[in-house]
Amino acid sequence: MAGASLAAKLARAGGGFSTSSTSAEMIGQIQVLDIPNLYTARFDLLAHKDRLLDQANRTDPVVVGLGGGARDVEVRIVEESPAGRCWLSI
């Protein structure tokens, strides 16, 4: 106990501690296989980004009302994976 008290006293004398963090976010991923043209599919998804985000946010208005919800759509092309040729939507 005395050691913790001394450490607190030294930290306080040196200006104390400060912390910060980023907001908590989750990432959802969808893997789609057997797409004939990966680059066209990527373009089409990103062209409809606003519509996709709107649909996702209409799914659970309570989450959106609490400050959550879908914020972005990214599409990453993966030429080869253990599952085959595919792309990932993040």
Side-chain angles (χ1 to χ4, degrees):
M1 195 66 123
S5 178
L6 176 60
K9 184 177 179 180
L10 292 173
R12 188 173 33 251
F17 297 102
S18 65
T19 64
S20 65
S21 67
T22 59
S23 61
E25 292 188 4
M26 291 192 310
I27 297 173
Q29 295 183 334
I30 302 169
Q31 182 177 17
V32 182
L33 302 171
D34 301 323
I35 302 298
N37 188 322
L38 297 172
Y39 295 92
T40 299
R42 180 181 186 276
F43 177 83
D44 290 343
L45 278 171
L46 293 174
H48 295 285
K49 178 179 174 175
D50 291 339
R51 187 170 158 209
L52 291 168
L53 290 171
D54 182 56
Q55 179 66 36
N57 286 327
R58 281 191 280 135
T59 303
D60 194 341
V62 173
V63 169
V64 174
L66 294 171
R71 289 182 169 73
D72 198 7
V73 172
E74 296 177 18
V75 180
R76 181 170 54 107
I77 292 176
V78 178
E79 292 286 349
E80 293 295 326
S81 77
R85 193 166 186 256
C86 63
W87 54 265
L88 293 176
S89 171
I90 301 173

